[in-house]
Amino acid sequence: MKDSLLCFAVKCRIGIDLGKNKASCFLGDSIREAQFRESGIRLEPDVHGLSVYSEEHPISYVFSPRMNSIRNAKDCSLFSNEICSLFSSGKKISNKVLLAMELVTASFFETSSRSKFLTLVLAAEAILVIDSKNEKVKAVVKELISVVRSTELSESEQNSIAGSLKWLKKDSISLSLKKMAIEYLSEKQYNGVDSHIFIKECYDARSKLVHEGGVDESKYNISRLASVMEVYMSDMLLAIIE
């Protein structure tokens, strides 16, 4: 059910907090039973997470700590129909995609454009499958590692350099993002450019932010990129799932 809710949030491009399945307030059984006898309304705690209950009796939620106001559950047929459709589809969603969806939906709660943008780019990285380079490149990298091992550097320094060199055997993150955009969103444009050009621009802006603390605003409009990235990630995740 949580997977279905995440899919719904990504599809509709809304924030969703699935919580930790804990009640934010709690009423004792005797109080709830007394309320039911007097009014016929079954009170249930407002759970921070998923809550399952019987529809046999009307349900209302106490959402104020002082319990001085009650709101009635509203009709949610459009929402429930969509969730039921997603739930019954039987689609298996990988852990990588689930993580990306969690990041995307969490981005709606970020308080600044920069943090929202970085969260969305991180979501894009979370679903990457990074390919290995050809055998010739691997052979060169292996030779470079051998050179490092033959030096008089300390073992810890050798391990550090060798560890960095091993990443050269695989495609860069930037190239991997480009490949994924071409594979899943080749016919779409974002911010006026093809998908693979857009995601490269986003990753370049991300690198500037992370490593330099800021970007040239005349070149990178982070607020605009964050808004378009939200659409990009929704399209990407739905394309992968479908």
Side-chain angles (χ1 to χ4, degrees), residues 30-141:
S30 58
I31 296 177
R32 293 193 292 117
E33 289 172 2
Q35 176 67 32
F36 178 67
R37 287 195 300 270
E38 293 175 7
S39 64
I41 295 177
R42 179 76 67 188
L43 291 174
E44 295 291 344
D46 188 7
V47 176
H48 183 206
L50 295 180
S51 180
V52 180
Y53 55 86
S54 170
E55 293 181 312
E56 181 182 358
H57 304 290
I59 299 290
S60 289
Y61 297 87
V62 177
F63 71 99
S64 170
R66 297 180 181 178
M67 297 184 291
N68 58 3
S69 55
I70 294 177
R71 65 182 176 192
N72 291 322
K74 297 180 180 180
D75 176 69
C76 57
S77 57
L78 292 176
F79 169 77
S80 60
N81 289 341
E82 185 70 27
I83 291 297
C84 287
S85 176
L86 290 166
F87 186 79
S88 61
S89 68
K91 291 177 180 177
K92 300 298 182 182
I93 304 175
S94 71
N95 289 333
K96 289 170 70 69
V97 171
L98 286 174
L99 174 59
M101 289 197 296
E102 288 179 9
L103 289 167
V104 169
T105 56
S107 72
F108 287 88
F109 302 101
E110 296 291 351
T111 57
S112 75
S113 296
R114 298 200 304 177
S115 59
K116 178 182 179 71
F117 173 71
L118 289 175
T119 302
L120 289 167
V121 176
L122 182 59
E125 293 182 59
I127 52 176
L128 284 181
V129 177
I130 300 179
D131 297 326
S132 297
K133 293 184 177 178
N134 61 56
E135 294 303 318
K136 289 184 179 180
V137 173
K138 291 181 181 179
V140 172
V141 174

Side-chain angles (χ1 to χ4, degrees), residues 110-215:
E110 296 291 351
T111 57
S112 75
S113 296
R114 298 200 304 177
S115 59
K116 178 182 179 71
F117 173 71
L118 289 175
T119 302
L120 289 167
V121 176
L122 182 59
E125 293 182 59
I127 52 176
L128 284 181
V129 177
I130 300 179
D131 297 326
S132 297
K133 293 184 177 178
N134 61 56
E135 294 303 318
K136 289 184 179 180
V137 173
K138 291 181 181 179
V140 172
V141 174
K142 185 176 180 180
E143 186 175 344
L144 289 173
I145 293 175
S146 297
V147 172
V148 171
R149 293 300 187 189
S150 66
T151 65
E152 296 181 356
L153 294 173
S154 66
E155 183 178 356
S156 61
E157 290 175 320
Q158 288 183 22
N159 291 338
S160 177
I161 296 173
S164 297
L165 288 172
K166 286 180 180 178
W167 281 104
L168 297 178
K169 294 181 179 180
K170 294 182 175 293
D171 287 340
S172 66
I173 293 177
S174 180
L175 179 58
S176 299
L177 287 170
K178 176 182 177 180
K179 286 183 175 181
M180 181 162 279
I182 292 173
E183 179 180 356
Y184 288 100
L185 303 172
S186 60
E187 298 180 358
K188 290 183 176 290
Q189 287 197 334
Y190 300 89
N191 210 26
V193 296
D194 290 342
S195 59
H196 67 278
I197 297 175
F198 169 73
I199 193 61
K200 182 183 185 305
E201 180 184 3
C202 287
Y203 191 72
D204 290 345
R206 170 263 181 207
S207 297
K208 289 283 186 182
L209 273 177
V210 171
H211 299 298
E212 299 178 17
V215 298

